[in-house]
Amino acid sequence: MAKLNILKIGDETLRKVCRPVETITPRICTLLDDMLETMHEAEGVGLAAPQVGVLRRVVVIEVEEGKVIELINPRIIATAGTQEEIEGCLSVPGRSGKTHRPMHVTVRAMNRNGEEFDISGSGLLARAFCHELDHLDGKLYIDNAIEMYD
Ligand code: ZN
């Protein structure tokens, strides 16, 4: 595994729309491994491939220690409720902001074995799903934050 460089706000790569993964190659599996290591090192709870300069629809999330969620080509298939909470981003260091997000989110994605699965989360996990999936479309949470804090 290798630690990757996390791109920071201002880098145009963060604003690009990522391409779906067509075939799960060893390169994609290495990317997942490296993203997880990079996220752990940075003490984040989620990381999207464009944050490490790879324009592919790949995300790792670990809001609960030891429960790693790997998402390939994820999409939100259901939401319910709303929440207003503070979030931050490894690509926007030193800042945080309050956002509106759904309270419950269900995502459909592929795992590294190419199997489709659905996963649901509430609260922090629901926010992480929304935040990381936004990255895949070049969106940052600061775009829609209600308030920002330094
Ligand atoms: Zn982020």
Side-chain angles (χ1 to χ4, degrees):
M1 290 207 274
K3 190 179 161 279
L4 306 170
N5 183 39
I6 298 177
L7 303 180
K8 300 298 187 297
I9 186 164
D11 192 307
E12 275 307 300
T13 305
L14 292 172
R15 293 308 193 169
K16 302 248 162 81
V17 175
C18 298
R19 287 183 299 140
V21 173
E22 308 280 353
T23 323
I24 298 168
T25 57
R27 239 178 104 201
I28 294 293
C29 296
T30 302
L31 174 66
L32 283 163
D33 292 340
D34 290 348
M35 284 172 62
L36 186 65
E37 187 182 344
T38 305
M39 181 182 79
H40 282 156
E41 184 93 11
E43 297 183 352
V45 297
L47 192 68
Q51 293 182 275
V52 293
V54 179
L55 291 172
R56 290 308 191 112
R57 304 189 81 83
V58 173
V59 161
V60 294
I61 291 172
E62 188 179 2
V63 299
E64 202 178 322
E65 206 180 325
K67 283 199 180 168
V68 176
I69 300 167
E70 298 179 339
L71 303 171
I72 298 168
N73 299 342
R75 63 187 193 279
I76 291 172
I77 57 168
T79 65
T82 58
Q83 56 175 322
E84 216 176 83
E85 286 293 340
I86 311 290
E87 62 190 87
C89 178
L90 294 174
S91 294
V92 188
R95 305 194 77 195
S96 58
K98 192 184 278 181
T99 57
H100 278 300
R101 299 288 193 188
M103 179 56 90
H104 311 282
V105 173
T106 302
V107 169
R108 180 163 293 167
M110 216 158 52
N111 65 21
R112 63 166 76 201
N113 301 316
E115 299 151 347
E116 195 174 70
F117 66 100
D118 293 351
I119 184 167
S120 299
S122 300
L124 176 58
L125 183 53
R127 291 208 300 281
F129 284 147
C130 295
H131 179 118
E132 301 309 331
L133 268 63
D134 274 354
H135 274 299
L136 305 180
D137 291 317
K139 295 183 217 157
L140 298 175
Y141 81 93
I142 56 168
D143 301 342
N144 294 307
I146 307 157
E147 278 178 60
M148 287 296 295
Y149 315 102
D150 289 311

